[in-house]
């Protein structure tokens, strides 16, 4: 009787171990699958190209873009966004190479009137108080005259304010919402949340 009882106990323990192992394996698979979904559909790694975002980002730096940022909410002023350049009518952005992706900071929102005068940004006639201490702009570009944004357009500027590869440039134009990929949230090396010029300078000094 004792032998049968011990064998039964061993059998139950083996079954319990197998069940727990299977449960753990399933949980690991679910976590991996969720991580894959997030990486594939919510996050995107891209590289900064050019000097337009110095000193916040430098040429060649890798960043993470949250593609789900604007599924519910629209881009806000001062946020750094990644977007595709304006395409020809009928051209699909999915067919564009990642090397054409641009990164800039949102300054003007849909429906607003933008003007740059004596190095200052005016939104609907009022001077914009910016979050970070950007260098004074020497040129207003086409924003020397007031620009009216449509209901799906954003006016973006470089953090390197005297690099005019932004909405001040007639060849760059405004950014339409349909071309926005998402918000740039992280830099990878060094790993940190994305801020602005003053924050990045302080980090270097530390």
């Amino acid at each position: 009787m004792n032998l049968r009882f011990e064998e039964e106990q061993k059998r139950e323990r083996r079954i319990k171990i197998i069940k727990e192992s299977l449960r753990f394996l399933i949980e690991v698979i679910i976590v991996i699958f969720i991580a894959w979904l997030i990486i594939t559909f919510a996050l995107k790694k891209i590289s900064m190209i050019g000097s337009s975002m110095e000193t916040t980002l430098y040429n060649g730096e890798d960043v993470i873009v949250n593609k789900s940022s604007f599924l519910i909410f629209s881009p806000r002023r001062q946020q750094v966004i990644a977007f595709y350049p304006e395409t020809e009518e009928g051209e699909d952005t999915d067919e564009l190479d990642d090397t054409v992706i641009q990164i800039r900071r949102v300054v003007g929102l849909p429906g607003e009137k933008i003007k740059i005068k004596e190095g200052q940004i005016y939104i609907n006639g009022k001077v914009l108080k910016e979050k970070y201490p950007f260098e004074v702009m020497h040129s207003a570009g086409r924003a020397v005259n007031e620009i009216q944004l449509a209901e799906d357009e954003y006016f973006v500027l470089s953090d390197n304010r005297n690099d005019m590869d932004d909405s001040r440039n007639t060849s760059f134009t405004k950014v339409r919402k349909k071309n926005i990929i998402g918000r740039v949230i992280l830099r990878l090396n060094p790993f940190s949340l994305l801020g602005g010029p003053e924050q990045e300078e302080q980090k270097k000094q530390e």
Side-chain angles (χ1 to χ4, degrees):
M1 289 291 291
N2 286 337
L3 285 174
R4 286 186 180 180
F5 179 73
E6 289 176 3
E7 285 297 324
E8 187 64 27
Q9 279 190 321
K10 288 179 181 179
R11 179 174 171 277
E12 288 177 359
R13 281 197 296 269
R14 284 197 296 269
I15 292 173
K16 185 179 179 181
I17 291 170
I18 291 170
K19 285 182 178 179
E20 288 177 352
S21 299
L22 284 173
R23 187 181 297 113
F24 176 75
L25 183 60
I26 290 169
E27 288 174 354
V28 169
I29 291 171
I30 290 172
V31 169
I32 292 172
F33 180 66
I34 291 172
W36 176 80
L37 286 176
I38 291 172
I39 293 170
T40 304
F41 297 104
L43 302 178
K44 183 179 183 68
K45 186 185 84 153
I46 61 173
S47 295
M48 178 66 210
I49 298 175
S51 61
S52 59
M53 288 300 288
E54 293 181 0
T55 57
T56 304
L57 289 172
Y58 289 86
N59 184 47
E61 281 196 274
D62 291 328
V63 298
I64 295 295
V65 178
N66 183 353
K67 296 191 291 183
S68 64
S69 294
F70 307 129
L71 293 178
I72 299 176
F73 302 103
S74 297
R76 297 198 305 272
R77 204 182 324 277
Q78 299 296 334
Q79 289 182 333
V80 176
I81 61 172
F83 54 93
Y84 290 108
E86 191 62 31
T87 56
E88 297 292 333
E89 194 66 34
E91 187 178 2
D92 191 351
T93 54
D94 290 337
E95 297 175 2
L96 296 177
D97 190 272
D98 283 357
T99 57
V100 305
I101 294 174
Q102 304 279 345
I103 298 173
R104 300 291 186 276
R105 192 176 295 273
V106 175
V107 172
L109 303 176
E112 293 182 335
K113 294 178 181 178
I114 313 297
K115 186 174 182 177
I116 298 174
K117 181 181 178 182
E118 297 177 351
Q120 295 210 306
I121 303 165
Y122 289 79
I123 307 288
N124 297 331
K126 296 182 179 180
V127 175
L128 172 66
K129 294 181 180 179
E130 297 200 85
K131 185 177 180 180
Y132 303 107
F134 299 106
E135 61 185 350
V136 177
M137 286 177 281
H138 299 320
S139 175
R142 69 193 187 99
V144 67
N145 298 311
E146 193 171 69
I147 296 171
Q148 174 70 59
L149 298 176
E151 291 305 315
D152 66 339
E153 292 179 336
Y154 293 83
F155 189 93
V156 298
L157 288 178
S158 307
D159 277 8
N160 178 0
R161 289 296 164 83
N162 288 304
D163 183 327
M164 284 186 56
D165 192 20
D166 54 30
S167 291
R168 291 171 290 171
N169 192 322
T170 53
S171 63
F172 189 98
T173 74
K174 296 156 281 189
V175 178
R176 290 205 282 174
K177 189 171 183 179
K178 71 180 183 66
N179 291 332
I180 297 175
I181 300 165
R183 182 183 178 186
V184 182
I185 56 173
L186 295 168
R187 64 146 44 83
L188 294 182
N189 188 24
F191 186 81
S192 64
L193 291 172
L194 196 69
E198 183 180 45
Q199 290 184 343
E200 305 313 321
E201 287 298 325
Q202 288 176 348
K203 287 175 186 175
K204 287 181 181 179
Q205 291 172 8
E206 290 171 1

